[in-house]
Amino acid sequence: MSGLDGRWTRRWIEAVAAEVARRKLELTALDRAIGDADHGENLDRGFQAVLGRLEALDDDATPGAVLKLVATTLISTVGGAAGPLYGTAFLKGSMAAGDRAELDAAGLVEVLTAARDGIVARGKAEPGDKTMVDAWTPAVDAAAAAGDDVRAALEAAAAAAAEGAAATEPLVAHKGRASYLGERAIGHRDPGSESTSLMLRAAAETR
Amino acid sequence: MSGLDGRWTRRWIEAVAAEVARRKLELTALDRAIGDADHGENLDRGFQAVLGRLEALDDDATPGAVLKLVATTLISTVGGAAGPLYGTAFLKGSMAAGDRAELDAAGLVEVLTAARDGIVARGKAEPGDKTMVDAWTPAVDAAAAAGDDVRAALEAAAAAAAEGAAATEPLVAHKGRASYLGERAIGHRDPGSESTSLMLRAAAETR
Amino acid sequence: MSVGLVIVSHSARIAEGVVELAAQMAPTVTIVAAGGTDDGGIGTSFDRVQAALGEADSGDGVVVLCDLGSAVLTTETAIDFAAEPERIRIADAPIVEGAVAAAVAAEAGGSMDEVVAAAEPVAPEP
Amino acid sequence: MSVGLVIVSHSARIAEGVVELAAQMAPTVTIVAAGGTDDGGIGTSFDRVQAALGEADSGDGVVVLCDLGSAVLTTETAIDFAAEPERIRIADAPIVEGAVAAAVAAEAGGSMDEVVAAAEPVAPEP
Ligand SMILES: Nc1ncnc2c1ncn2[C@@H]1O[C@H](COP(=O)(O)OP(=O)(O)O)[C@@H](O)[C@H]1O
Ligand SMILES: Nc1ncnc2c1ncn2[C@@H]1O[C@H](COP(=O)(O)OP(=O)(O)O)[C@@H](O)[C@H]1O
Ligand SMILES: [Mg+2]
Ligand SMILES: [Mg+2]
Ligand SMILES: [Mg+2]
Ligand SMILES: [Mg+2]
């Protein structure tokens, strides 16, 4: 495969849905420690709805069309902060993808950058605020630095997101529900950074 | 009659209940203009409950015992700010009355002063804040200045309360719901000052 | 006509309760509840918020009161999808106390800006 | 054990909604609703507040969140009638946002003062 086409995008989203379902309790447990114990359920509700709607999509839908369907579905089904945040990310990503049939490494970086910028515009979090931005930002930077190979870019993004998620553990939260906890958030991983890492890991492993 | 005894106190409260029932819609209309349109209903609910409980009271109950029953009944049945405010007023009044069988003019002034101080302690309103305090304060002062005749003291209190209530009309409210209205409260009479005037007028007319 | 209000809460009961409380002092203002998730759980629903924004706008615009951060995020997303986003404002105010103050200002015929301003530094209260 | 919370609102629905919302982030804290009048109308009930104050105190004291001024007056009156008034504090905070912050602090084992402090300058929120 040269670039990432619509079918790849669909396989990726199916893999995300499967992983979210598999790790739902784990994500919710992270959110129980420093939030309201619903992040896994929220995302699972959203991605199960995505699976249902994907079936209605044309087999040859573009990456942008798949991402847009994911966006609108998450926005209207997730029910927590992750809904508007990931919804905006996928929406901005779909706009960056436009009607290209395939994304090469440069296109992927454009999409990831737009997604991250959408999350930041929506949630106003900065790096270090202990949110999903702490996984997205290193992922975008690593993909951009990975060169022309789209698979290398995906792998770099996934690895950087995983590190970014782990690096939220020592932080105090300045956005989201965990900000109520002050110093007591220290030692806990941000659930949204972990779900971001999950999504990008699934992308790196989707063929 | 020399002083105000328990039977007089009971007749007074019955007269208040009758007047509140008769003027319920008027009090509520005042509260509709600058509040939440329930002051008449609130007080009527309270004084109807008082009537029911008065029956169980000994015929020779002291003024203090009657006032205490009014206090606890209003506190638990009025449902608006007037409940804790008048409830506290009657409670402090009953404490000032103690177990005296009759109140002379000096005793009446003690009771009225305690009632007013109770309202101020509870609601933290100052004169001029467009509340019932604007009827109570001139009433207490007038009763204190009226000399040894308890009937003259009652009449002076009633007249001063009526003036005080009317004088709330040009004011901006600094306490209670009317404070939300800012300048738009100007031109409207405070409902609680009017119900205070009603109570003291009923006292002056009770034989 | 007057500015309409939308109450976006994580709890359907809070949103409905705020509507009944604020309506007491503002009987002619349109106040619409958008609380809870689509299946009645705790959270926010984009579809409920979007529908409420449409319902509350009778021509003079809409002011929105939100409880927690995710309610703001959902509302902002709905505003992005609105045909006339400039007719909607989110007040930076506590949901219950802000809604009562906003409702009183809307009842008095205040503009969107005046209604937002009334909600924001909550009016002095006893 | 932890500090208990009482939610005094003019609306039974608001009080119950605040309880469900705050409980999400504080599953082990006792949070008791005292909303509406005895006959289910809009207003506050001394008896409901008094009963809730008793129910919420499991030994570490109670912090109360109120909506409008009359709710504060009713609560203060109930405190005057309480056997141990020093075990009850009213937070000067918005009822919904303050309750969530207070509940989180109580869940963490905060003292009455700490719970009040957490509610009062509402914790920074997204
Ligand atoms: N303002 C924000 N900016 C960026 N990310 C945020 C923000 N608020 C919350 N988040 C992310 O959302 C995650 C929580 O999502 P979720 O549990 O679904 O929402 P909720 O907090 O509404 O229950 C957090 O772990 C954090 O990563
Ligand atoms: N803090 C206060 N101090 C003194 N009086 C007050 C205060 N708050 C309200 N009031 C009085 O209470 C009256 C309103 O009573 P009511 O309508 O029964 O209560 P609510 O405002 O709770 O509906 C006002 O007209 C005013 O006189
Ligand atoms: Mg959550
Ligand atoms: Mg949630
Ligand atoms: Mg009233
Ligand atoms: Mg009322």
Side-chain angles (χ1 to χ4, degrees):
Chain A
M1 181 184 77
S2 54
L4 307 170
D5 63 9
R7 286 164 204 262
W8 179 90
T9 310
R10 188 191 299 248
R11 285 195 300 281
W12 168 44
I13 296 302
E14 287 164 353
V16 170
E19 274 299 282
V20 165
R22 193 174 69 80
R23 296 179 54 194
K24 178 168 83 167
L25 297 182
E26 179 196 332
L27 292 172
T28 288
L30 292 177
D31 198 28
R32 180 170 298 113
I34 58 171
D36 59 346
D38 63 6
H39 188 59
E41 276 73 18
N42 285 347
L43 284 187
D44 190 45
R45 187 185 315 114
F47 277 97
Q48 290 306 314
V50 167
L51 288 185
R53 298 195 198 172
L54 265 183
E55 286 172 21
L57 205 67
D58 261 14
D59 273 357
D60 52 1
T62 58
V66 175
L67 296 177
K68 182 162 185 203
L69 181 142
V70 175
T72 54
T73 307
L74 294 183
I75 285 172
S76 62
T77 58
V78 166
L85 290 165
Y86 281 131
T88 303
F90 279 94
L91 195 63
K92 299 298 179 188
S94 97
M95 290 163 69
D99 49 16
R100 281 181 263 194
E102 288 195 0
L103 298 171
D104 59 10
L108 172 69
V109 170
E110 282 174 56
V111 167
L112 291 176
T113 304
R116 189 271 317 272
D117 291 352
I119 290 169
V120 171
R122 175 66 64 224
K124 316 276 183 316
E126 297 180 7
D129 281 351
K130 198 174 182 115
T131 71
M132 56 176 69
V133 170
D134 293 331
W136 277 98
T137 294
V140 168
D141 294 345
D148 288 346
D149 178 357
V150 69
R151 305 236 50 108
L154 285 171
E155 179 55 40
E163 273 181 45
T168 65
E169 291 183 10
L171 301 176
V172 167
H174 298 295
K175 289 284 172 183
R177 289 177 178 266
S179 61
Y180 283 113
L181 275 77
E183 307 261 303
R184 297 190 302 279
I186 292 173
H188 299 282
R189 183 172 302 198
D190 174 61
S193 70
E194 187 61 23
S195 57
T196 293
S197 169
L198 174 160
M199 290 179 197
L200 295 177
R201 172 51 53 202
E205 291 180 1
T206 297
R207 301 290 129 175
Chain B
M1 181 184 77
S2 54
L4 307 170
D5 63 8
R7 287 164 203 261
W8 178 91
T9 310
R10 187 191 301 248
R11 286 195 300 280
W12 168 46
I13 295 302
E14 286 164 353
V16 170
E19 275 298 281
V20 165
R22 192 174 71 78
R23 296 179 55 194
K24 178 168 81 168
L25 296 182
E26 178 196 333
L27 292 172
T28 288
L30 292 177
D31 197 28
R32 181 169 298 112
I34 57 170
D36 59 345
D38 63 4
H39 189 58
E41 276 73 18
N42 284 348
L43 283 187
D44 190 45
R45 187 185 314 116
F47 278 97
Q48 290 305 315
V50 168
L51 288 185
R53 298 194 199 172
L54 265 182
E55 286 171 21
L57 206 67
D58 260 15
D59 275 355
D60 53 1
T62 59
V66 174
L67 296 176
K68 181 162 184 203
L69 180 142
V70 175
T72 54
T73 308
L74 294 183
I75 285 171
S76 63
T77 59
V78 166
L85 290 165
Y86 282 130
T88 303
F90 280 94
L91 195 64
K92 298 298 178 188
S94 98
M95 289 162 70
D99 51 16
R100 281 182 261 194
E102 287 195 359
L103 299 171
D104 58 11
L108 173 68
V109 170
E110 283 173 57
V111 167
L112 292 177
T113 304
R116 190 270 316 271
D117 292 351
I119 291 170
V120 171
R122 175 64 66 224
K124 315 277 182 316
E126 297 180 5
D129 280 352
K130 197 175 182 114
T131 71
M132 56 176 69
V133 170
D134 292 330
W136 276 97
T137 295
V140 169
D141 294 346
D148 288 346
D149 179 355
V150 70
R151 305 236 50 108
L154 284 172
E155 179 54 41
E163 275 180 44
T168 64
E169 292 183 8
L171 301 176
V172 167
H174 298 295
K175 289 283 173 186
R177 288 176 179 267
S179 60
Y180 283 113
L181 275 77
E183 308 261 302
R184 296 191 303 279
I186 291 174
H188 299 282
R189 183 172 301 199
D190 174 61
S193 71
E194 186 61 23
S195 58
T196 293
S197 169
L198 175 160
M199 291 179 196
L200 295 177
R201 172 50 54 200
E205 291 180 2
T206 298
R207 302 290 127 174
Chain C
M1 281 198 306
S2 58
V3 170
L5 301 185
V6 170
I7 312 300
V8 181
S9 172
H10 279 66
S11 154
R13 289 196 279 186
I14 291 178
E16 288 159 15
V18 172
V19 169
E20 68 177 356
L21 181 60
Q24 258 201 320
M25 290 187 71
T28 74
V29 176
T30 303
I31 313 177
V32 185
T37 59
D38 290 330
D39 52 6
I42 301 184
T44 53
S45 155
F46 176 84
D47 294 348
R48 287 189 184 191
V49 173
Q50 196 173 43
L53 289 173
E55 213 180 307
D57 190 356
S58 57
D60 290 340
V62 179
V63 171
V64 186
L65 282 296
C66 299
D67 55 2
L68 309 179
S70 353
V72 176
L73 297 180
T74 300
T75 304
E76 285 175 349
T77 307
I79 293 175
D80 281 357
F81 281 83
E84 298 180 273
E86 67 284 358
R87 298 162 60 78
I88 309 170
R89 290 240 210 316
I90 302 178
D92 183 13
I95 188 164
V96 177
E97 297 81 357
V100 174
V104 171
E107 182 74 23
S111 65
M112 278 204 294
D113 284 345
E114 287 165 343
V115 171
V116 168
E120 286 193 342
V122 177
E125 246 286 299
Chain D
M1 280 196 308
S2 58
V3 170
L5 301 184
V6 170
I7 313 300
V8 182
S9 172
H10 280 65
S11 154
R13 289 195 278 185
I14 291 177
E16 288 159 15
V18 173
V19 168
E20 67 178 355
L21 180 60
Q24 257 202 321
M25 288 186 71
T28 73
V29 176
T30 303
I31 314 177
V32 185
T37 60
D38 290 331
D39 52 7
I42 300 184
T44 53
S45 156
F46 177 83
D47 293 349
R48 287 189 185 193
V49 173
Q50 196 173 43
L53 289 173
E55 212 179 307
D57 191 355
S58 57
D60 290 340
V62 178
V63 170
V64 186
L65 281 296
C66 299
D67 54 2
L68 309 178
S70 351
V72 176
L73 297 180
T74 300
T75 304
E76 285 175 351
T77 308
I79 294 174
D80 281 358
F81 281 84
E84 298 179 272
E86 67 284 357
R87 298 162 60 78
I88 309 171
R89 291 240 210 314
I90 302 178
D92 182 13
I95 188 166
V96 177
E97 296 81 357
V100 173
V104 171
E107 181 76 22
S111 65
M112 278 203 295
D113 284 344
E114 286 165 341
V115 171
V116 168
E120 287 192 342
V122 178
E125 245 285 299

